[in-house]
């Protein structure tokens, strides 16, 4: 039985199908660099991993970042050839070890597997303290009716089963499936490009983050993200977005949504490790990315994604 | 068959408010007014002499308040200075601090040089508080000689020449902020800076016509009809250019009918039907297009011309505002899912509400009123002491 049929017949019992226990970044070398923790603490404020040494390193990092960013002040009127890709990279460029530089994360969403339980959604909200009315991740339901109509709905956090979403009538529906959405962690991220103050920056592992102490809340990045992933957090007044749970992955843990998914529809891991599940699957099965024509080069890949998922 | 709508969850919150509509509107007025003054100072369009000073001071007054809507919009205004001290070279927006400061400085220096003879004369002749103000404005300078006046004139001309590209950059750059957002098909076009620039000139000339007529009426002095005719002429030409560019852009999008055209066509025909179709195109473009040539006919009486030009200029000011509105607001009315639309929240009160917006638009006019009390906007004959 495929999961497309699952949704057609409104099944919800998916407990043992798939699972995510061994997926993603399992190796002991999984990116737990000092810089990683340092950036985590920067992004997460003083909570999380802000112990003594980290705090002072963090200060050094901030100092360095400021110095370099200030340097670019003069460069603004000079040729742009020396333009930094991101404050994070520059600030850490000198101190990064070669090993940690190689860490590169990737994400895979399998639309064939997703059954719309919404567990990832509530896990994310709790883990990242996402304010109501905003989303770091969401799940869309696509329903292709026999009359040619396509209906797209938002799956509630309590899951598809028992929700108000119109039930699927197999008589009227050709096919239906779920498509989870989250930050694409674009390799050429327009959000990062447009940020005027280096508050949107790239971590050494290729994760797009927001510097909560630098953001001026102009929302230019919100406009520039083609995927509707960013928002201005009404509680912090900063730009906010999915970080693939940066504070967790740099401690060798899985993102909260990946851990919560009961069917393994979300796979996270290291792209630089050919043995990781993400790498293996990317190498062996056809995948695609969202809005490829925009040249953002997402590191979020989809299995079984139809063209209408954008 | 139309599919049911779907909006990405975060797109329900429209990030840019009416403040971001005001910002390009105000900088457009600045750029446009400056161009009028430059037509006199650089291209020696003597017919514009009666409004050359008004144009320059108007540009300065609006420029002074151009940052206000931005500050009100920023969610962290206390960090606004980051844009100056830690600008990112990859961001179009980061150029703002430098471009704005440069332009503001240029305007201040030029205004000071233009009014220096009168300031110095009053610093010498006035007493009391007035005298103190003029002595302060004179910056210790108490004499205008023929040589120094010639040097001033030369510098004014140089600044005006530099000011033209600077005004173009100041406003063209605002267009680029929108034109460079590839995520948004309503904004993403290389024509955007040029469209913004053309409509900036339109708005600047229209604003000066309205101001000139209003101030003349208040001063009970008839406006210079030749000057008014020339301005109306310039307004008509620039309106034709601006509207042609706007229409060209629209036609191009419709003709290409790219992947997102279905959203954009719904946007235009349903969500912007009033602000675009009715206000921007019909009322704001078509009527002035027909009215202005009628106003400047040689047979037209001065009174008739004043009324017709003034009315057409007011409509043009509405057109340009509607154009900014349709760009900024229109671009946020559809979700990036390209499957649904959202409502634009327009508040009355609050930091980004209508009242705040009205206050921002009134402040430069108040500034102009204050400036007109201090600087002789209409005394065009300079006082030069012979050496
Ligand atoms: S998906 Fe959006 S927020 Fe995420 S990296 Fe790409 S542009 Fe930035
Ligand atoms: S909202 Fe913050 S992160 Fe986004 S562009 Fe503005 S300053 Fe940068």
């Amino acid at each position: 039985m495929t999961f497309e049929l699952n949704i057609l017949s409104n099944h919800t019992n998916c407990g043992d199908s798939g699972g995510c226990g061994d997926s993603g970044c399992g190796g002991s070398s999984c990116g737990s660099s000092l810089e990683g923790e340092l950036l985590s603490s920067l992004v997460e404020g003083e909570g999380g991993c802000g112990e003594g040494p980290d705090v002072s390193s963090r200060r050094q990092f901030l100092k360095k970042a400021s110095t370099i960013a200030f340097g670019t002040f003069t460069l603004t009127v000079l040729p742009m050839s020396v333009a930094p890709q991101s404050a994070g990279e520059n600030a850490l460029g000198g101190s990064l070890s070669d090993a940690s530089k190689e860490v590169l994360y990737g994400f895979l969403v399998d639309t064939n597997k997703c059954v719309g339980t919404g567990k990832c959604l509530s896990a994310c909200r709790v883990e990242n303290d996402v304010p109501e009315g905003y989303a770091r991740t969401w799940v869309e339901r696509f329903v292709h009716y026999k009359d040619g109509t396509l209906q797209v709905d938002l799956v509630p956090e309590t899951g598809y089963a028992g929700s108000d979403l119109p039930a699927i009538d197999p008589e009227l529906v050709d096919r239906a499936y779920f498509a989870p959405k989250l930050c694409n962690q674009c390799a050429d991220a327009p959000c990062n490009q447009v940020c005027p103050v280096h508050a949107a920056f790239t971590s050494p592992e290729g994760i797009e983050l927001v510097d909560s102490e630098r953001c001026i809340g102009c929302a230019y990045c919100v406009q520039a993200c083609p995927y509707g992933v960013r928002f201005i957090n009404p509680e912090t007044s900063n730009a906010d977005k999915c970080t693939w749970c940066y504070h967790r992955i740099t401690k060798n843990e899985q993102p909260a949504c990946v851990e919560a998914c009961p069917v393994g529809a979300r796979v996270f891991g290291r792209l630089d490790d050919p043995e990781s599940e993400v790498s293996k699957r990317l190498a062996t099965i056809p995948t695609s990315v969202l809005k490829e024509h925009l040249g953002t080069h997402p590191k979020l890949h989809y299995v079984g994604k139809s063209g209408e998922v954008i | 068959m139309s599919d049911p709508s779907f909006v990405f969850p975060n797109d329900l919150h429209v990030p840019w408010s009416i403040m971001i509509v005001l910002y390009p509107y105000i900088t457009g007025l600045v750029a446009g007014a400056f161009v009028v003054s430059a037509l006199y100072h650089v291209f020696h369009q003597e017919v514009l002499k009666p409004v050359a000073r008004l144009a320059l001071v108007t540009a300065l007054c609006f420029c002074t308040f151009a940052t206000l809507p931005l500050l009100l919009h920023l969610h962290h205004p206390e960090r606004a200075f980051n844009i100056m001290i830690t600008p990112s070279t990859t961001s179009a927006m980061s150029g703002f601090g430098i471009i704005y400061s440069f332009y503001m400085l240029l305007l201040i220096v030029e205004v000071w040089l233009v009014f220096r003879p009168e300031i110095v004369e009053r610093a010498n002749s006035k007493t009391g508080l007035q005298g103190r103000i003029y002595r302060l404005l004179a910056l210790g300078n108490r004499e205008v000689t023929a040589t120094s006046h010639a040097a001033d004139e030369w510098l004014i001309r140089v600044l005006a020449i530099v000011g033209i590209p600077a005004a173009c950059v100041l406003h063209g750059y605002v267009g680029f902020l929108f034109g460079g957002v590839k995520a948004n098909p309503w904004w993403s076009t290389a024509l955007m800076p040029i469209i913004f620039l053309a409509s900036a000139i339109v708005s600047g000339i229209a604003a000066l016509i309205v101001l000139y007529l209003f101030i003349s009426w208040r001063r009970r002095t008839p406006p210079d009809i030749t000057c008014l005719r020339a301005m109306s002429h310039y307004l008509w030409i620039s309106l034709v250019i601006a509207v042609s560019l706007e229409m060209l852009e629209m036609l191009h999008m419709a003709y290409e009918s790219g992947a997102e055209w279905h959203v954009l066509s719904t946007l235009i025909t349903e969500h912007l039907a009033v602000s675009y179709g009715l206000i921007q195109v019909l009322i704001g473009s078509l009527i002035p297009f027909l009215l202005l040539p009628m106003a400047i006919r040689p047979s037209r009486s001065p009174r008739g011309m004043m009324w017709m030009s003034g009315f057409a200029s007011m409509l043009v000011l509405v057109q340009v505002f509607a154009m900014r509105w349709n760009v900024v607001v229109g671009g946020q009315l559809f979700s990036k899912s390209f499957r649904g639309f959202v409502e634009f929240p327009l508040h009355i009160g609050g930091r980004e509400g209508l009242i705040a917006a009205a206050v921002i638009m009134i402040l430069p006019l108040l500034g102009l009123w204050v400036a007109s009390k201090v600087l002789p906007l209409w005394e065009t004959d300079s006082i030069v002491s012979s050496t």
Side-chain angles (χ1 to χ4, degrees):
Chain A
M1 185 180 70
T2 71
F3 284 95
E4 286 189 20
L5 286 179
N6 239 353
I7 155 175
L8 283 172
S9 52
N10 207 358
H11 275 207
T12 52
N13 182 5
C14 48
D16 58 358
S17 50
C20 55
D22 58 354
S23 64
C25 84
S28 58
S29 62
C30 193
S32 169
S33 61
L34 169 66
E35 288 81 8
E37 293 195 18
L38 204 147
L39 285 176
S40 296
S41 69
L42 177 67
V43 174
E44 294 301 307
E46 292 302 331
C49 44
E51 289 135 31
D54 279 354
V55 171
S56 67
S57 317
R58 179 168 168 276
R59 267 193 212 114
Q60 273 171 8
F61 164 70
L62 274 175
K63 221 167 149 187
K64 224 171 183 178
S66 308
T67 316
I68 287 163
F70 189 82
T72 63
F73 177 60
T74 31
L75 294 179
T76 308
V77 287
L78 293 174
M80 292 177 56
S81 53
V82 273
Q85 279 305 301
S86 74
E89 277 177 10
N90 273 279
L92 296 164
S95 59
L96 266 182
S97 70
D98 283 349
S100 61
K101 250 184 191 161
E102 282 164 15
V103 178
L104 189 66
Y105 293 119
F107 208 114
L108 196 94
V109 164
D110 193 338
T111 58
N112 295 325
K113 284 190 176 177
C114 181
V115 289
T117 64
K119 294 205 184 305
C120 51
L121 308 179
S122 38
C124 174
R125 193 167 299 283
V126 172
E127 179 72 31
N128 296 300
D129 210 7
V130 184
E132 286 299 328
Y134 298 82
R136 283 190 175 201
T137 179
W138 65 93
V139 176
E140 297 166 13
R141 185 185 73 162
F142 286 75
V143 183
H144 292 264
Y145 287 94
K146 286 192 164 59
D147 67 359
T149 323
L150 167 68
Q151 179 163 358
V152 188
D153 293 300
L154 192 67
V155 174
E157 276 167 45
T158 43
Y160 163 56
S163 72
D164 292 340
L165 290 190
I168 304 290
D169 180 351
E171 294 289 307
L172 301 174
V173 172
D174 269 337
R175 63 196 178 99
Y177 54 89
F178 295 104
K181 294 283 187 72
L182 60 157
C183 177
N184 290 252
Q185 304 299 356
C186 310
D188 291 302
C191 59
N192 183 316
Q193 183 193 25
V194 304
C195 176
V197 295
H198 291 292
F201 69 103
T202 319
S203 85
E205 302 86 352
I207 306 290
E208 285 303 324
L209 301 171
V210 179
D211 183 337
S212 55
E213 289 169 22
R214 198 177 280 269
C215 174
I216 57 173
C218 64
Y220 200 16
C221 58
V222 180
Q223 303 285 9
C225 170
Y227 308 99
V229 163
R230 298 177 81 107
F231 56 91
I232 298 292
N233 187 317
E235 281 153 24
T236 62
S237 296
N238 288 322
D240 201 332
K241 68 182 278 290
C242 158
T243 63
W244 289 3
C245 285
Y246 190 74
H247 57 292
R248 290 171 63 102
I249 58 179
T250 45
K251 287 192 286 194
N252 233 348
E253 292 169 17
Q254 292 280 307
C257 59
V258 175
E259 201 170 85
C261 179
V263 295
R266 293 175 181 242
V267 183
F268 168 82
R270 285 178 63 162
L271 292 176
D272 56 294
D273 175 7
E275 293 308 310
S276 72
E277 189 184 342
V278 165
S279 297
K280 279 191 201 155
R281 288 176 70 175
L282 282 176
T284 53
I285 50 171
T287 56
S288 57
V289 295
L290 299 174
K291 299 189 184 181
E292 188 178 7
H293 63 285
L294 292 180
T296 54
H297 302 113
K299 292 194 284 288
L300 165 68
H301 299 264
Y302 282 81
V303 179
K305 179 185 85 64
S306 305
E308 61 273 8
V309 181
I310 54 173
Chain B
M1 198 162 318
S2 71
D3 296 328
S5 73
F6 170 70
V7 173
F8 286 156
N10 296 324
D11 285 347
L12 286 168
H13 311 277
V14 176
W16 283 353
S17 67
I18 192 171
M19 291 301 149
I20 306 298
V21 179
L22 286 189
Y23 164 59
Y25 191 59
I26 293 178
T27 55
L29 290 171
V30 175
F34 187 85
V35 166
V36 174
S37 84
L39 280 174
Y40 168 70
H41 288 296
V42 182
F43 299 105
H44 306 293
Q45 296 294 303
E46 291 295 326
V47 278
L48 296 176
K49 191 175 182 183
V51 290
R53 290 181 161 203
L54 173 70
L56 203 56
V57 178
T58 304
L60 178 65
C61 291
F62 276 96
C63 201
T64 308
F65 294 98
T67 51
L68 204 55
L70 294 182
L71 282 174
L72 285 174
H73 160 69
L74 286 189
H75 291 262
H76 276 295
E78 78 282 4
R79 296 178 188 163
F81 211 58
N82 281 4
I83 213 161
M84 299 287 280
I85 51 175
T86 60
S88 160
T89 47
T90 61
S91 169
M93 196 183 269
S94 66
F96 173 78
I98 287 157
I99 296 172
Y100 175 80
S101 317
F102 174 76
Y103 195 66
M104 189 70 194
L105 194 70
L106 186 144
L107 274 177
I108 292 173
V109 175
E110 181 153 356
V111 167
W112 185 76
L113 287 173
V114 165
F115 288 96
R116 199 170 77 90
E118 284 87 351
I119 292 174
V120 168
E121 192 266 334
R122 289 177 189 197
N124 290 332
S125 62
K126 302 266 179 196
T127 50
L129 181 66
Q130 271 196 347
R132 237 179 284 160
I133 290 174
Y134 285 110
R135 278 191 288 281
L136 199 73
L137 287 176
L139 302 178
N141 215 298
R142 300 298 284 273
E143 194 184 12
V144 180
T145 62
T147 328
S148 75
H149 186 65
D152 283 1
E153 290 287 308
W154 177 82
L155 202 55
I156 287 169
R157 193 147 173 261
V158 169
L159 285 177
I161 292 172
V162 176
I164 296 172
C168 294
V169 170
L170 176 77
H171 199 69
Y173 141 89
V174 179
F176 189 84
L177 284 183
F178 294 97
V181 178
K182 64 182 170 188
N184 193 319
W186 184 241
W187 291 346
S188 175
T189 155
L191 264 189
M192 201 59 104
I194 304 175
I195 293 177
F196 265 70
L197 206 54
S199 65
I201 295 171
V202 170
S203 69
I205 303 173
L208 283 175
I209 292 180
V210 174
L211 280 172
Y212 185 42
L213 288 175
F214 178 76
I215 299 172
S216 300
W217 170 68
R218 291 290 302 158
R219 292 174 66 227
R220 296 176 212 282
T221 337
D224 182 318
I225 288 300
T226 328
C227 173
L228 188 61
R229 176 171 285 120
M231 280 207 288
S232 305
H233 206 142
Y234 282 123
L235 178 61
W236 189 78
I237 294 171
S238 45
L239 180 72
V240 169
I241 296 173
V243 176
S244 304
L245 284 170
E246 286 160 21
M247 292 299 125
L248 182 68
E249 169 58 17
M250 189 63 63
L251 218 87
H252 179 253
M253 278 199 283
Y255 191 75
E256 274 198 344
S257 291
E260 287 95 18
W261 176 244
H262 67 284
V263 194
L264 302 185
S265 57
T266 317
L267 176 75
I268 299 160
T269 53
E270 290 177 22
H271 300 264
L272 299 179
V274 174
S275 61
Y276 183 78
L278 184 68
I279 300 179
Q280 186 182 333
V281 178
L282 282 179
I283 298 178
S285 305
L286 196 63
I287 298 181
F289 172 76
L290 300 172
L291 207 57
L292 283 167
M294 289 199 272
I296 55 177
R297 274 167 61 156
S299 56
R300 182 76 52 212
S301 71
R303 209 179 151 72
M305 187 169 94
M306 273 157 53
W307 276 106
M308 287 169 87
S309 280
F311 182 61
S313 301
M314 281 205 258
L315 291 185
V316 167
L317 285 175
V318 173
Q319 191 268 1
V320 177
F321 187 83
M323 181 260 172
R324 312 292 194 238
W325 174 276
N326 291 325
V327 169
V328 178
V329 175
Q332 303 180 88
L333 287 183
F334 57 88
S335 168
K336 284 169 187 157
S337 69
F338 302 132
R339 292 197 162 93
F341 289 87
V342 297
E343 288 289 317
F344 181 74
L346 190 56
H347 305 291
I348 303 286
R351 236 173 62 171
E352 298 191 68
L354 274 175
I355 296 174
V359 170
I360 289 175
M361 286 312 295
I362 291 168
L363 283 175
L365 299 174
L366 274 180
L368 190 59
W369 178 75
V370 173
S372 74
K373 299 278 160 216
V374 182
L375 303 170
L377 296 184
W378 312 106
E379 289 161 39
T380 44
D381 296 327
S382 306
I383 297 109
V384 184
S385 68
S386 53
T387 45

